[in-house]
Amino acid sequence: MLGKIEEVKKAIEAFQIENQQKLEEFRLAFLAKKGVITDLMAGLKEAAPDQRKAIGQALNDLKNFAWEKFDGIQSTMVSASDSVDAPDMNLPVQSLPLGSRHPLSIVRQQMIEIFEQMGFAMSDGPEIEDDWHNFSALNFPENHPARDMQDTFFVSKDPDVLLRTHTSTVQVRLMEKQKPPIRAIMPGRVYRNEAISARAHCLFHQIEGLYIDRNVGFKDLKQTLYHFVKEMFGPDQKIRFRPSFFPFTEPSAEIDISCLICNGAGCNICKYTGWVEIGGSGMVDTNVLKANGIDPEEFTGFAFGMGIERTTMLRYGIRDLRLFTENDVRFVSQFAGLS
Ligand code: PHE
């Protein structure tokens, strides 16, 4: 029996363990319930009584010997794999690259905040529209050349389904569901079938404003937009209203501000006039109020629509509209940290 124990000890010594699989094989061969050592232990009761003590002792030593080898190798394997995964706390911190918000989102948010402070609520509507919301309810007579002012992308004809050419559609949707007083702004994407250049794009963004209540006058429109321009571009910014025409407003005015790119000296953005148009405005035409079930004898209102791209270009001195849609990281990353 003692000879057998010695043999097993040699086998334990000779067993090469170079990986996890071998370690498991070792455990099964010597230490598991069906392993050699358990077998030997079972044979102890057959040994002669006077030898039992010595054999028992030798078996215990053998068992400890096997466990020591197993534990020793297992712990070196665990610590080797640990050292691969464990972070080295002394290394310098690797900063994660931070994204930046798109300049149009930044300016859109700034515009919204200025109007919200004046009590305008937010509203929105669909980009795919019908003729009624884009034209008819806004007093564009059928077959009237005013419809050509805005080159339209049609999704289908008869009945007309189109991509909205302006956010004035949302005015109509709002008047349909809400009775005056209405004081809301409506930011959104609009589409026009125009050749893409530094100054024009086939998709861009507008913010529409609508204020309908008793006794709303042109002075309220002017004051609201004066305040907006000073907040957005600074107290020294010049603003002018230029008589214009829109089917849905009467009287109508184009809103111009002095060109921030060239400070009035003349550049391609202001067409060398020193002034840039940021949007249209006017008193809501009585026909529009009537078409939307609002009594023009009782209520009056003003509306305006401004381009977010144009505002952003002036705010940050950007000269080419196409930069907004190209998403060149060298451009957009310049706005990191702005909100
Ligand atoms: N919807 C007009 C446009 O896109 C702008 C506008 C809005 C004009 C509201 C007057 C009032 O050109």
Side-chain angles (χ1 to χ4, degrees):
M1 187 81 177
L2 284 170
K4 182 95 200 312
I5 291 173
E6 198 51 36
E7 244 173 62
V8 174
K9 191 175 177 193
K10 289 222 172 80
I12 290 173
E13 252 168 1
F15 202 104
Q16 294 285 332
I17 304 174
E18 54 282 300
N19 53 34
Q20 282 288 352
Q21 197 193 328
K22 283 275 172 204
L23 186 69
E24 181 61 5
E25 279 172 23
F26 178 87
R27 191 185 69 80
L28 291 172
F30 299 105
L31 297 166
K33 273 211 179 95
K34 291 181 180 155
V36 186
I37 299 178
T38 324
D39 276 355
L40 288 174
M41 297 266 193
L44 185 60
K45 46 185 180 310
E46 275 138 47
D50 60 331
Q51 282 189 13
R52 255 186 220 163
K53 201 174 167 207
I55 294 175
Q57 184 65 50
L59 273 174
N60 262 337
D61 290 348
L62 181 71
K63 198 174 156 191
N64 289 339
F65 181 70
W67 272 113
E68 261 164 39
K69 175 159 177 155
F70 179 84
D71 286 343
I73 291 179
Q74 191 183 45
S75 69
T76 56
M77 277 184 182
V78 169
S79 65
S81 67
D82 262 5
S83 68
V84 174
D85 293 341
D88 180 347
M89 299 309 238
N90 296 314
L91 286 175
V93 176
Q94 251 176 27
S95 55
L96 291 171
L98 271 187
S100 51
R101 292 175 68 209
H102 193 280
L104 291 179
S105 307
I106 295 170
V107 170
R108 175 183 180 274
Q109 193 53 35
Q110 290 170 349
M111 294 172 92
I112 289 170
E113 273 165 26
I114 296 170
F115 286 112
E116 276 184 344
Q117 277 163 9
M118 289 192 268
F120 284 79
M122 283 271 279
S123 196
D124 66 4
E127 291 177 19
I128 298 175
E129 271 293 8
D130 49 25
D131 176 275
W132 173 256
H133 291 93
N134 201 79
F135 293 124
S136 299
L138 289 163
N139 199 33
F140 283 82
E142 211 156 308
N143 302 321
H144 192 278
R147 293 189 183 220
D148 298 338
M149 279 165 68
Q150 304 182 346
D151 300 305
T152 312
F153 282 118
F154 287 94
V155 176
S156 65
K157 282 281 201 183
D158 252 352
D160 286 351
V161 178
L162 46 89
L163 299 181
R164 67 179 176 193
T165 57
H166 53 179
T167 41
S168 303
T169 52
V170 193
Q171 284 191 36
V172 179
R173 294 200 169 268
L174 200 57
M175 287 188 263
E176 278 170 355
K177 61 173 194 236
Q178 194 185 322
K179 293 289 139 224
I182 296 172
R183 186 160 28 164
I185 44 162
M186 303 147 243
R189 187 179 293 166
V190 300
Y191 303 83
R192 290 190 198 174
N193 192 356
E194 287 194 30
I196 297 171
S197 70
R199 295 173 37 88
H201 209 290
C202 60
L203 76 87
F204 56 100
H205 300 78
Q206 293 185 329
I207 283 196
E208 190 85 4
L210 179 67
Y211 181 26
I212 302 178
D213 204 346
R214 293 186 177 88
N215 300 321
V216 176
F218 201 84
K219 63 179 190 316
D220 301 305
L221 166 63
K222 276 178 99 173
Q223 197 51 46
T224 303
L225 292 172
Y226 270 132
H227 181 74
F228 166 75
V229 168
K230 305 272 176 207
E231 286 288 307
M232 189 77 208
F233 299 104
D236 299 331
Q237 191 58 37
K238 291 199 208 77
I239 177 170
R240 74 176 186 188
F241 288 84
R242 194 160 33 84
S244 186
F245 169 78
F246 298 102
F248 36 97
T249 46
E250 182 59 34
S252 305
E254 223 107 29
I255 316 153
D256 290 349
I257 64 167
S258 46
C259 182
L260 285 141
I261 304 251
C262 62
N263 281 324
C267 69
N268 67 332
I269 297 296
C270 64
K271 292 193 207 150
Y272 303 93
T273 62
W275 293 92
V276 279
E277 178 201 320
I278 57 166
S281 66
M283 299 305 295
V284 180
D285 196 291
T286 49
N287 284 342
V288 174
L289 294 175
K290 276 188 226 152
N292 290 289
I294 294 172
D295 181 4
E297 297 297 325
E298 191 180 355
F299 294 104
T300 49
F302 68 73
F304 57 85
M306 282 187 287
I308 302 181
E309 276 79 357
R310 179 58 62 86
T311 311
T312 310
M313 288 168 95
L314 294 167
R315 180 83 171 72
Y316 292 114
I318 299 162
R319 285 169 169 271
D320 194 324
L321 192 67
R322 289 167 290 198
L323 286 166
F324 293 127
T325 38
E326 283 165 1
N327 277 338
D328 186 328
V329 187
R330 289 169 301 181
F331 171 67
V332 286
S333 64
Q334 291 178 41
F335 299 87
L338 294 177
S339 57

